[in-house]
Amino acid sequence: MLYLLISCVSFILISKSFTHKPIQAWEGKLKLSSFWFWGEFSSFLVSWFQKSRLAIELFQPIICKLKKMMTFSSKVENVEERDSLSLLDLPDLTLECILEKLSPSGLCTMGGVCTSLRERCRDDRLWERHMMEKWGRLIGAAAYREWQLHVASRSRVRNISDQTKKKGLFESLVSKFWPFSWIRPKLATSDCKARTSLPVESVMSLYISLESGKFWFPAQVYNRENGNVGFMLSCYDAQVSYDSRTNTFQARYSPYGRRATEDNIPWDRLRAAPVDTPSHKLHVTDCLHDLKPGDHIEIQWRRNKEFPYGWWYGVIGHLELCDGHENHCRCHSSDTVTLEFSQYTPGSRWRQVTINRKDHREEGDEADGFYGGIRKLYNEEEIARWKRLWPTQVLE
């Protein structure tokens, strides 16, 4: 069949070589055709004609024309290669500057171009900046520890899954009774896909998990349960998850005592835990001797022993016998410290409480709750945030 095809083509070429104009028309069509196709076909004809002594004598002019067209095609391809410029041809420093300007979504898109850009776009240095800009205020030490446990759990599940696949019945039967070589490339391809997946321990993986809401992390919520009166000017531990559609958070509160969940929590009602003290542990107070009237504080409080602690905002007040005058006040040298919660009306049982400066422990009872550790607020931003959350009406 191939011999018949070559003979037909040769006959057509011989018949068209007797006149000059048909050859020109044939050349015009040839130039409009694909360089690659005609290059391959011309190579075949040239090699076939060169093997025939008779063809060399009869078709020498045609062979020369085909060689010239092959040379022209290769030159065009070389020009196209020289004119095309890839992003990877840029210097490393320039490329890094470009990637640093991209948003998280831009980095994800750029990473889908090729393998080299994928590795560059996953660099932790690029994603650490985005983490600090959006999540730095909210992701604290407790959240990072939770993420490390999450990573370890996913890695363990992946290892178990891989071992299960390797020990599968089908694979063992195939390896024993059907050991053909074409099976191995497929297995190697699947391993390659697994290696190109996003590393679970990378900063990019953490960022995407936060944005997608798949990662629930520990944080603290101001005025929990949508500003319930019983929680005004307090801050409680919770597991929170981000909802990118509404740019708000969901919260699941501690399982100790009262169970509750909450939706649509805005950013300004969340914070990272300022101290590394679990909600069911008493915070060790280290500022008792520095407390004086006018200082802003947070104190642990819980309804009963089964409930977790929450942090409540208050101010150090004057003792009952002190007139509050700056020159005569000796409250800072007394062993008794008065805590004031001005969001409650004067005379309310929640308005004031006194503690012992030298021997402060958890104090209280089942009726008024239990007061725990104290932390003094030095940061003006922390104080301003509490004031912004101040209730519109005085509480009873």
Side-chain angles (χ1 to χ4, degrees):
M1 191 68 183
L2 180 61
Y3 179 80
L4 179 60
L5 177 61
I6 295 173
S7 301
C8 292
V9 171
S10 303
F11 177 80
I12 293 172
L13 294 177
I14 294 172
S15 63
K16 289 182 179 290
S17 64
F18 293 112
T19 59
H20 182 65
K21 291 183 179 180
I23 291 178
Q24 290 181 346
W26 176 76
E27 288 178 349
K29 292 181 180 180
L30 187 62
K31 291 178 181 178
L32 293 176
S33 300
S34 171
F35 285 123
W36 178 84
F37 173 79
W38 286 108
E40 294 293 326
F41 186 67
S42 302
S43 300
F44 171 77
L45 289 179
V46 169
S47 61
W48 184 78
F49 284 138
Q50 284 179 342
K51 293 180 180 180
S52 174
R53 296 179 180 178
L54 181 60
I56 294 175
E57 296 176 358
L58 294 177
F59 308 125
Q60 186 66 33
I62 299 176
I63 294 174
C64 293
K65 288 181 178 291
L66 292 175
K67 285 185 176 180
K68 288 180 180 180
M69 294 194 65
M70 292 170 59
T71 305
F72 174 75
S73 175
S74 63
K75 287 182 179 179
V76 170
E77 291 178 357
N78 292 335
V79 170
E80 291 178 351
E81 290 179 358
R82 287 196 299 268
D83 291 341
S84 62
L85 179 63
S86 170
L87 187 64
L88 296 175
D89 295 331
L90 296 174
D92 289 343
L93 183 59
T94 304
L95 182 56
E96 288 180 6
C97 291
I98 293 174
L99 296 180
E100 287 176 357
K101 300 296 183 181
L102 295 179
S103 64
S105 59
L107 284 174
C108 292
T109 303
M110 183 69 75
V113 174
C114 65
T115 304
S116 180
L117 284 176
R118 180 173 64 239
E119 297 303 321
R120 288 177 177 270
C121 292
R122 290 178 178 180
D123 194 334
D124 284 349
R125 291 176 299 174
L126 298 175
W127 288 92
E128 284 171 357
R129 181 174 63 86
H130 294 298
M131 277 293 301
M132 289 302 299
E133 288 180 357
K134 184 168 185 177
W135 297 96
R137 185 182 63 82
L138 198 54
I139 302 299
Y144 277 112
R145 286 197 299 271
E146 189 77 15
W147 172 249
Q148 291 172 356
L149 293 175
H150 180 73
V151 168
S153 176
R154 289 176 59 182
S155 300
R156 187 161 51 249
V157 170
R158 180 175 295 180
N159 291 336
I160 294 174
S161 177
D162 292 343
Q163 291 176 2
T164 303
K165 290 180 180 179
K166 290 180 180 179
K167 295 179 180 180
L169 177 61
F170 176 77
E171 185 177 342
S172 61
L173 290 174
V174 167
S175 61
K176 290 181 179 179
F177 302 106
W178 203 356
F180 292 112
S181 58
W182 56 268
I183 298 177
R184 295 181 182 177
K186 292 186 178 180
L187 296 177
T189 302
S190 63
D191 293 340
C192 182
K193 290 181 179 179
R195 287 194 297 269
T196 57
S197 60
L198 183 63
V200 293
E201 70 278 3
S202 65
V203 180
M204 179 181 176
S205 179
L206 171 58
Y207 189 96
I208 293 176
S209 297
L210 289 169
E211 288 285 330
S212 64
K214 295 180 179 179
F215 175 51
W216 289 75
F217 60 94
Q220 292 183 345
V221 183
Y222 291 99
N223 295 352
R224 62 177 280 184
E225 299 180 32
N226 296 311
N228 187 303
V229 174
F231 296 101
M232 290 301 294
L233 293 187
S234 68
C235 200
Y236 276 80
D237 286 9
Q239 291 286 325
V240 300
S241 172
Y242 180 62
D243 185 356
S244 59
R245 296 170 299 177
T246 59
N247 194 29
T248 59
F249 293 83
Q250 298 173 311
R252 296 194 297 240
Y253 295 105
S254 174
Y256 298 96
R258 177 174 177 170
R259 288 178 175 269
T261 59
E262 185 178 352
D263 298 326
N264 300 318
I265 303 173
W267 284 81
D268 57 2
R269 282 183 52 209
L270 292 175
R271 74 174 183 183
V275 292
D276 195 14
T277 304
S279 60
H280 57 282
K281 295 289 186 180
L282 180 67
H283 175 66
V284 178
T285 305
D286 57 359
C287 62
L288 287 174
H289 297 285
D290 298 331
L291 296 178
K292 60 184 184 298
D295 286 344
H296 300 266
I297 57 99
E298 292 178 10
I299 184 170
Q300 288 178 312
W301 182 86
R302 59 181 174 179
R303 170 69 69 179
N304 55 50
K305 297 288 186 178
E306 296 180 356
F307 274 57
Y309 283 113
W311 289 97
W312 293 74
Y313 173 73
V315 178
I316 304 299
H318 292 276
L319 298 175
E320 186 176 356
L321 299 178
C322 179
D323 59 5
H325 194 279
E326 183 178 355
N327 295 330
H328 302 96
C329 179
R330 295 292 181 268
C331 295
H332 61 279
S333 59
S334 173
D335 291 341
T336 302
V337 180
T338 300
L339 310 180
E340 285 192 354
F341 305 96
S342 301
Q343 64 267 36
Y344 296 98
T345 58
S348 170
R349 63 173 179 164
W350 308 111
R351 174 78 180 200
Q352 284 187 347
V353 65
T354 58
I355 62 171
N356 189 306
R357 190 190 299 268
K358 289 186 176 180
D359 187 25
H360 173 60
R361 302 175 184 176
E362 185 181 55
E363 301 178 12
D365 51 38
E366 294 291 336
D368 295 332
F370 296 88
Y371 295 87
I374 299 173
R375 61 179 295 261
K376 182 177 177 179
L377 302 181
Y378 298 94
N379 191 319
E380 292 296 330
E381 176 57 31
E382 278 191 289
I383 298 172
R385 177 175 291 185
W386 280 114
K387 291 181 177 180
R388 288 195 296 268
L389 296 170
W390 201 269
T392 56
Q393 296 180 347
V394 180
L395 307 177
E396 296 294 334

